[in-house]
Structure formats: structure tokens, C-alpha cells
């Protein structure tokens, strides 16, 4: 295992640990719910992280394409990303007596982190494409996800322990956000050490929309990916539903543990499937489980509600690994920035769907939201049947 491979894997492990402490669908949504945030604000949380990280990519793609070494930009914005997360942690220590001010700092920190992540995300994928051969990518992401998921599983016990300490709100969350900031900081530093081979920059002045859209494989993939992004309107509301409807706020740590353990164990299956059959089966499996989960969330009684997070961990792991490797493998080397940047920007716009989901939950209740999300997952599953197999 060469040095770049090791650094990339270590980065994945620490980022997964950080993600556990800043888990948008469980930790952040329960935090916002306890602050009294309306559902549309809870829906905004993953959008600030995911959409904020994706939308800028098409706009910076020409600049990134001209850089002989892409990881340089990744290093430059790492401190800015850390600043956004540190703002959340510090505010949680200082402004517990001012929920309105704390919520404002919380949203601002997430927005800053998401924006600056958008500036570093495309350099990350370009660097991975250059340093990890195609035949090793499924194993690379699988190992990152597997051990990272195990660390997230262990982090679930930390979350549960801190939330059960009896410390006044929001101090337990302040400690969680501090741990998450430290994990992210070390992980981003390690990936910045990757020795990326220089290449001649491609002096394109603007991204070409005609080239990716002229590719039938890309168009079919983009349709599926956008449908999954719209279906993600339900992701942050499983925990909010548990806290507000089922009165299960003390179970948040258990839910995170179940989510992480499911992600770990399912990754063993997803990694083997991807290596043997390509990414398409993972996308289909993730779509099928995503269709089922919102319906179960409405049917399961409180003692068995943890099954929702078991399924969520499994299908998000499948979709994360499947869609990532499919796009990297489908993008031609000479137009890689265009393909990745354009796809991620359009998906990022669709990733604001949880805001709409929150408004729908406020207007019609959680049942309408969950059923609509299930319908979009089913639509994505149907569209995914037309994806070209990679093997």
C-alpha cells in the first residue's frame, strides 16, 4: 500500500469520525430540535453541508482544471473549513443561555464549512482520480468506509455517554462538536500531505455543458443521482420524528450507534459487490432500501424504531460508494473536472430538498414527507435500471 493510498485511507477514517460527531441526520437535527428550530430549519442542516459543498464545483472547475497540482487548493481552504466548525463548538460553550444567538451561530458555522468544503471537494476528487488507479478505487473507498464506519460506531457510544451525563444543554453537544472539529482537522491535514503528480493544466476558460450532456451514460447517471438527492428530503427527519413524535430524545446515541454499525457491516457487502460486479448493483440496492425505509418509519413502534437507522446506514453506504465510483469511472480523463463539477453542482442544487421536506412536514405532517420521499426513491430505483454496467 503506497503512501498516497495510506494518507487517503487515514483521511477517510478521521473524516468519518468527524462526520459521526457532526452527523446531520441524528446529532445536528436533534440539537436543532432541542433549540426549538422549525422543521424547515432542520431540513436546511444537511443542505448547508451537502449542497453547500456541491454547488460551487461547476463554477470553480475551470480554475481547478488549470492547476497542475490540485491538492494545493485543498490545503488552502482547510483552515477556513475548520473555522466554520470551531465557531459551532465555541458558540455552544458560550451561548447556551441565548438559544436564538446559538442557533444563528450554528447555522452560520455550517454554512461557512459547507461553502469552503465546496472549494476543496473538486480538488479532492481530482487528486483521488490521479493517485488511485481505477481498479483500486472500490477497495480504497470500501476500506475508508469500513474502518471509518467502525470509528463512527464507537463514536456513537461517546455521543450516548455525553448526552446521558446530565450536563446542562448544550454542553454535551459542545463537547461533541469539539471532538468532531479535531477529527476533521487531522483528517484534512493528512490528505493535504498527498504527493500528487503534477500534470499540464487544461486552460479552459469556462466549463463546457455540451460535452457531459452529450454523453448518454452521464445523462442517465445524473438523472438517477438527482432523484436520490431529492429523495434525501427525509434523511434529517428520522431523528426529529423520534424526538418530537415518539419522545425518544434519550435514544439519539443508540440510533447513531446502530446507524454506524450498519454502515460498517453493509460496507463489507457493498465493497465485494462493487469489486465483482461494479457500482450499478450498489445503486439499485440503495434505491430499494431507500424506498422501504420511510414507510417502515411510519409503521414501527417506538421500541423498534432503531431499525430505521440500521436501514438508513446500509442504503446511504451503498449509494455513497456506488455513485462515487460510478462517476469517477465514467468521467473521461480529459473532461474529468467538467463531469465531476457539473454533476455535483446540479446534485447540490437538488440537495436543498430537505428544506422543502421540512416545510411539507410543518404543513402536512411527517407522514406526507416520508411517503413522498419513498416515492422519489422508487423513481430513482426505476431509472437506475437503465444505468450501464461497468463489467
Amino acid at each position: 500500500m503506497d503512501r498516497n493510498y495510506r494518507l487517503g485511507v487515514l483521511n477517510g477514517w478521521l473524516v468519518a469520525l468527524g462526520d459521526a460527531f457532526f452527523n446531520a441526520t441524528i446529532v445536528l437535527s436533534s440539537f436543532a430540535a432541542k433549540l426549538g428550530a422549525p422543521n424547515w430549519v432542520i431540513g436546511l442542516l444537511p443542505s448547508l453541508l451537502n449542497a453547500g459543498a456541491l454547488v460551487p464545483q461547476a463554477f470553480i472547475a475551470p480554475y481547478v482544471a488549470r492547476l497542475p497540482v490540485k491538492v494545493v487548493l485543498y490545503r488552502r481552504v482547510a483552515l477556513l473549513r475548520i473555522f466554520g466548525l470551531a465557531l459551532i463548538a465555541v458558540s455552544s460553550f458560550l451561548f447556551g443561555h441565548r438559544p436564538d444567538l446559538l442557533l444563528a451561530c450554528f447555522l452560520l458555522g455550517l454554512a461557512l464549512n459547507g461553502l469552503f468544503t465546496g472549494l476543496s471537494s473538486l480538488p479532492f476528487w481530482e487528486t483521488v482520480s490521479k493517485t488511485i488507479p481505477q481498479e483500486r478505487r472500490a477497495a480504497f473507498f470500501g476500506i475508508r468506509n469500513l474502518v471509518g464506519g467502525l470509528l463512527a460506531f464507537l463514536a456513537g457510544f461517546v455521543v450516548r455517554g455525553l448526552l446521558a451525563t446530565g450536563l446542562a444543554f448544550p454542553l454535551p453537544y459542545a463537547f461533541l462538536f469539539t471532538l468532531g472539529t479535531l477529527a476533521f482537522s487531522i483528517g484534512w491535514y493528512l490528505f493535504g500531505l498527498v504527493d500528487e503528480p503534477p500534470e499540464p493544466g487544461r486552460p479552459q476558460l469556462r466549463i463546457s455543458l455540451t460535452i457531459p450532456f452529450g454523453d448518454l451514460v452521464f445523462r442517465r447517471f445524473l438523472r438517477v443521482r438527482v432523484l436520490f438527492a431529492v429523495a434525501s428530503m427525509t434523511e434529517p427527519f428520522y431523528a426529529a420524528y423520534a424526538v418530537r413524535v415518539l419522545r425518544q430524545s434519550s435514544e439519539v446515541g443508540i440510533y447513531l450507534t446502530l446507524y454506524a454499525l450498519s454502515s460498517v457491516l453493509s460496507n463489507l457487502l457493498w465493497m465485494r459487490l462493487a469489486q465483482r460486479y461494479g457500482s450499478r448493483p450498489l445503486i439499485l440496492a440503495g434505491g430499494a432500501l431507500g424506498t422501504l425505509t420511510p414507510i417502515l418509519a411510519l409503521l414501527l413502534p417506538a421500541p423498534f424504531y432503531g431499525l430505521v437507522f440500521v436501514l438508513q446506514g446500509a442504503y446511504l453506504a451503498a449509494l455513497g460508494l456506488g455513485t462515487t465510483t460510478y462517476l469517477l469511472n465514467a468521467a473521461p480523463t480529459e473532461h474529468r473536472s467538467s463531469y465531476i463539477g457539473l454533476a455535483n453542482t446540479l446534485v447540490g442544487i437538488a440537495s436543498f430538498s430537505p428544506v422543502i421536506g421540512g416545510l411539507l412536514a410543518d404543513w402536512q405532517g411527517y407522514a406526507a414527507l416520508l411517503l413522498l420521499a419513498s416515492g422519489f426513491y422508487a423513481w430513482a430505483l426505476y431509472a437506475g435500471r437503465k444505468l450501464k454496467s461497468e463489467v
Side-chain angles (χ1 to χ4, degrees):
M1 189 183 297
D2 59 40
R3 178 175 179 272
N4 287 339
Y5 195 100
R6 290 196 302 271
L7 288 172
V9 167
L10 287 172
N11 162 263
W13 295 352
L14 287 162
V15 166
L17 183 59
D19 279 334
F21 293 122
F22 277 96
N23 185 286
T25 60
I26 300 176
V27 176
L28 299 188
S29 62
S30 66
F31 178 71
K34 289 185 177 182
L35 282 175
N39 279 319
W40 73 266
V41 172
I42 295 175
L44 183 63
L45 303 181
S47 300
L48 289 175
L49 292 174
N50 300 327
L54 295 173
V55 170
Q57 294 188 30
F59 304 102
I60 68 167
Y63 172 70
V64 173
R66 290 193 294 267
L67 294 174
V69 179
K70 323 296 183 184
V71 77
V72 171
L73 180 59
Y74 182 95
R75 297 177 190 139
R76 288 175 181 170
V77 299
L79 286 176
L80 298 174
R81 298 168 73 187
I82 294 169
F83 172 78
L85 299 181
L87 174 63
I88 297 172
V90 173
S91 299
S92 298
F93 280 112
L94 297 179
F95 302 134
H97 63 293
R98 289 285 307 278
D100 54 339
L101 180 58
L102 176 54
L103 181 61
C105 292
F106 175 61
L107 295 175
L108 176 61
L110 290 180
L112 290 174
N113 177 71
L115 173 63
F116 295 129
T117 297
L119 300 180
S120 65
S121 185
L122 185 55
F124 171 84
W125 294 116
E126 284 272 17
T127 302
V128 168
S129 297
K130 290 170 63 177
T131 56
I132 308 298
Q134 178 173 334
E135 64 274 11
R136 301 183 68 188
R137 287 174 191 164
F140 173 77
F141 286 110
I143 293 173
R144 280 167 54 101
N145 294 343
L146 178 63
V147 179
L150 178 60
L151 291 173
F153 167 70
L154 297 176
F157 291 101
V158 178
V159 172
R160 185 182 181 188
L162 280 172
L163 295 182
T165 56
L167 291 173
F169 177 84
L171 285 179
Y173 286 92
F175 287 114
L176 292 177
F177 297 151
T178 301
L179 291 173
T181 301
L182 290 174
F184 276 125
S185 300
I186 299 172
W188 294 335
Y189 169 77
L190 289 176
F191 191 81
L193 299 177
V194 166
D195 184 18
E196 177 192 352
E199 67 176 7
R202 300 186 289 279
Q204 58 194 82
L205 297 178
R206 60 183 179 86
I207 193 168
S208 174
L209 299 180
T210 59
I211 293 175
F213 279 124
D215 185 340
L216 178 62
V217 173
F218 175 82
R219 293 201 308 271
R220 288 179 171 174
F221 168 80
L222 184 62
R223 177 173 56 187
V224 172
R225 189 67 187 87
V226 167
L227 286 171
F228 280 136
V230 174
S232 71
M233 67 174 68
T234 190
E235 306 306 337
F237 295 104
Y238 292 130
Y241 181 81
V243 170
R244 290 179 167 173
V245 178
L246 301 181
R247 307 299 180 188
Q248 298 288 298
S249 59
S250 63
E251 306 299 316
V252 169
I254 295 177
Y255 293 154
L256 180 59
T257 300
L258 291 173
Y259 172 92
L261 181 61
S262 173
S263 180
V264 170
L265 297 179
S266 64
N267 256 301
L268 294 172
L269 172 63
W270 305 143
M271 185 169 57
R272 293 181 68 87
L273 282 177
Q275 289 175 318
R276 186 168 182 178
Y277 301 108
S279 304
R280 182 176 178 271
L282 275 65
I283 295 173
L284 297 179
L289 292 176
T291 302
L292 174 65
T293 303
I295 298 173
L296 283 179
L298 292 173
L299 299 177
L300 289 172
F304 300 99
Y305 191 74
L307 178 60
V308 168
F309 297 94
V310 173
L311 293 174
Q312 186 187 35
Y315 74 72
L316 290 182
L319 294 177
L321 180 58
T323 56
T324 296
T325 54
Y326 195 96
L327 179 58
L328 287 179
N329 295 340
T333 302
E334 64 274 18
H335 300 298
R336 193 167 52 217
S337 291
S338 297
Y339 273 65
I340 297 174
L342 180 60
N344 285 343
T345 293
L346 295 176
V347 168
I349 295 172
S351 295
F352 279 100
S353 64
V355 179
I356 299 174
L359 293 172
L360 179 61
D362 285 333
W363 177 42
Q364 292 291 327
Y366 287 106
L369 164 63
L370 293 169
L371 291 175
L372 181 61
S374 178
F376 273 105
Y377 269 118
W379 188 1
L381 173 62
Y382 177 79
R385 294 164 56 251
K386 295 185 178 180
L387 290 176
K388 180 182 178 181
S389 177
E390 302 160 276
V391 295

